[in-house]
Amino acid sequence: MPLFELKGDDLSAVSQVEFVNEKTLQSLVEKNLKAVFNFRFVATEFRTGAVHAGRIDTLALSEDGNPVIIEYKKVASSELINQSLYYLSWIKHHHGDFGIAAQKALGKSVEIDWSDVRVICLAPNYKKYDLHAVQVMGANIELWTYKRFSNGTVYFEEQYKRSTAAP
């Protein structure tokens, strides 16, 4: 269903447009982390060191003080799920690196709760295999989609979040 703009009593369809590149989306989300996710910004393009040789798009701290990794893609890509697992593993073994970055960004008194570390993937869509993979693997990876429209509207929608309810 398309998005419609209301002008008086008339509806007109609003066309969907793409972000120029991933960095444009990333910058927009980072500048608006509080409004979009209720997170505090920690770092951008965070290097994971020589051994892991990666660069995490965005590091943040959730409203509950939990570390969050956000990864962005301009197109649907199964690589995003693998990349998310890699970074989730990295952060679980590098509390000190995240802690230093958080203190640098948010002050020495910042408190970090390691009980619910997660990754948020932001992409325009996902393949059915990606949705199934995150459901069966049990990792704390959330899948979100985004849409940008010609009237300046941006829409974020949660596609999958691991249930924390006990069986």
Side-chain angles (χ1 to χ4, degrees):
M1 168 78 72
L3 178 69
F4 293 93
E5 186 171 12
L6 177 63
K7 292 181 183 174
D9 290 339
D10 297 324
L11 292 176
S12 58
V14 179
S15 60
Q16 196 171 329
V17 295
E18 292 185 13
F19 283 95
V20 175
N21 52 41
E22 283 178 28
K23 189 63 179 168
T24 304
L25 170 65
Q26 180 178 347
S27 295
L28 178 68
V29 171
E30 287 177 349
K31 288 176 186 167
N32 294 281
L33 270 176
K34 188 78 171 159
V36 176
F37 292 112
N38 198 23
F39 295 164
R40 292 181 286 165
F41 176 78
V42 172
T44 189
E45 300 298 329
F46 188 83
R47 296 189 182 278
T48 58
V51 174
H52 286 86
R55 200 169 40 200
I56 296 171
D57 290 343
T58 304
L59 284 178
L61 205 59
S62 75
E63 63 278 10
D64 299 324
N66 300 116
V68 180
I69 294 169
I70 305 174
E71 288 294 319
Y72 310 85
K73 288 291 180 235
K74 191 173 181 289
V75 296
S77 168
S78 292
E79 176 186 306
L80 183 56
I81 306 304
N82 293 334
Q83 187 178 17
S84 297
L85 281 172
Y86 187 74
Y87 290 145
L88 190 58
S89 175
W90 176 87
I91 201 167
K92 286 183 177 182
H93 296 97
H94 291 84
H95 290 191
D97 293 331
F98 181 88
I100 290 168
Q103 287 178 353
K104 188 175 181 182
L106 303 170
K108 297 279 186 199
S109 63
V110 68
E111 292 186 27
I112 302 169
D113 177 356
W114 292 96
S115 65
D116 194 27
V117 177
R118 68 191 202 252
V119 177
I120 293 177
C121 299
L122 266 173
N125 53 48
Y126 297 93
K127 298 173 182 164
K128 65 181 179 181
Y129 305 110
D130 300 327
L131 291 166
H132 181 73
V134 294
Q135 289 174 26
V136 299
M137 72 177 60
N140 202 1
I141 297 174
E142 298 176 21
L143 303 181
W144 288 70
T145 55
Y146 64 85
K147 290 181 175 48
R148 181 178 180 210
F149 297 93
S150 59
N151 68 350
T153 303
V154 179
Y155 178 72
F156 297 99
E157 183 177 13
E158 184 179 73
Q159 298 297 310
Y160 175 79
K161 180 178 184 175
R162 184 183 74 179
S163 173
T164 55

